[in-house]
């Protein structure tokens, strides 16, 4: 995920570095200590904690739950508006941009039949289906595919603007 975020925001927020800190439990158990240490070593650096909305161990987290989490945690905590980063990467507009650049036929009807709620649907495990919607016939590494998709989330896209507000404005 860190590589994806660094690709999306690298040119518009060059002062920002995203670093992965492991899964949900590791983050909760170690973040206070890590932030305390890093804040002392780098007193001018602002450290943000960004979580997926799957923080309920895969259980649905509503927008109310998200807001409750944000209101009960320090100002440096953030939670994605959508379930996981894949819900941004697998947004129809991102996939259409990718397919157009690669000369692939996007099966929009099949996508629409499968993706009912891009913000809340657990879609991470559907990467093979997503590749099929894009008409990718051969195998492609999942991480490479996601990194390629992240290059199609530019500052002029709604997906970018939503992510930017969520991460940098805590909206």
């Amino acid at each position: 995920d860190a590589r994806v975020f660094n690709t999306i925001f690298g040119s518009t927020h060059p002062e920002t570095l995203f670093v992965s800190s492991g899964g949900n439990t590791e983050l909760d158990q170690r973040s206070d200590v890590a932030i305390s240490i890093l804040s002392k070593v780098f007193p001018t650096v602002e450290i943000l904690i960004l979580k997926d909305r799957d923080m309920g161990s895969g259980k649905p987290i509503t927008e109310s739950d998200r807001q409750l989490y944000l209101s009960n945690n320090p100002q440096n905590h953030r939670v994605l508006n959508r379930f996981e980063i894949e819900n941004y990467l697998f947004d129809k507009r991102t996939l259409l941009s990718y397919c157009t650049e690669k000369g692939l036929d996007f099966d929009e009807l099949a996508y629409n039949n499968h993706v009912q709620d891009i913000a809340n649907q657990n879609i991470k495990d559907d990467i093979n289906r997503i590749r099929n919607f894009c008409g990718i016939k051969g195998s492609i590494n999942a991480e490479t595919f996601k990194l390629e998709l992240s290059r199609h989330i530019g500052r002029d896209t709604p997906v970018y603007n939503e992510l930017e507000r969520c991460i940098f404005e805590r909206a």
Side-chain angles (χ1 to χ4, degrees):
D1 290 2
R3 288 180 62 202
V4 166
F5 284 116
N6 284 319
T7 299
I8 294 169
F9 294 110
S11 64
T12 56
H13 294 275
E15 74 288 351
T16 302
L17 176 65
F18 291 86
V19 179
S20 179
S21 64
N24 290 329
T25 55
E26 293 94 345
L27 181 62
D28 287 341
Q29 293 169 354
R30 299 184 185 130
S31 66
D32 290 338
V33 172
I35 288 172
S36 177
I37 293 168
L38 290 170
S39 296
K40 288 188 188 314
V41 175
F42 304 106
T44 61
V45 173
E46 180 182 20
I47 300 171
L48 304 177
I49 307 291
L50 175 63
K51 290 185 166 202
D52 292 335
R53 253 195 42 224
D54 75 342
M55 64 186 177
S57 298
K59 296 177 186 145
I61 300 293
T62 65
E63 178 60 19
S64 296
D65 296 329
R66 179 180 171 274
Q67 290 301 325
L68 183 64
Y69 174 87
L70 290 172
S71 68
N72 285 303
N73 281 282
Q75 284 295 308
N76 66 332
H77 283 242
R78 307 292 196 268
V79 179
L80 292 177
N81 291 324
R82 297 186 188 188
F83 195 67
E84 297 178 281
I85 187 59
E86 285 79 7
N87 294 74
Y88 296 94
L89 295 172
F90 300 163
D91 184 277
K92 185 190 317 186
R93 291 165 289 213
T94 304
L95 294 171
L96 280 166
S97 173
Y98 171 82
C99 289
T100 299
E101 180 189 273
K102 301 293 184 188
L104 298 169
D105 293 322
F106 181 67
D107 190 343
E108 190 169 356
L109 181 60
Y111 176 91
N112 290 340
N113 286 332
H114 179 68
V115 179
Q116 302 297 310
D117 184 356
I118 192 61
N120 299 302
Q121 188 172 337
N122 184 351
I123 198 164
K124 180 179 189 171
D125 296 333
D126 295 339
I127 192 160
N128 288 330
R129 185 174 268 176
I130 297 297
R131 289 188 288 209
N132 287 338
F133 296 153
C134 291
I136 297 171
K137 307 243 186 295
S139 66
I140 183 172
N141 175 280
E143 296 308 312
T144 301
F145 181 53
K146 290 191 277 188
L147 199 56
E148 282 294 315
L149 290 175
S150 71
R151 292 183 173 93
H152 292 271
I153 300 177
R155 75 179 318 162
D156 60 337
T157 65
V159 170
Y160 175 92
N161 291 316
E162 182 182 328
L163 274 170
E164 185 177 49
R165 280 190 314 275
C166 174
I167 296 168
F168 296 99
E169 299 171 22
R170 201 176 193 238

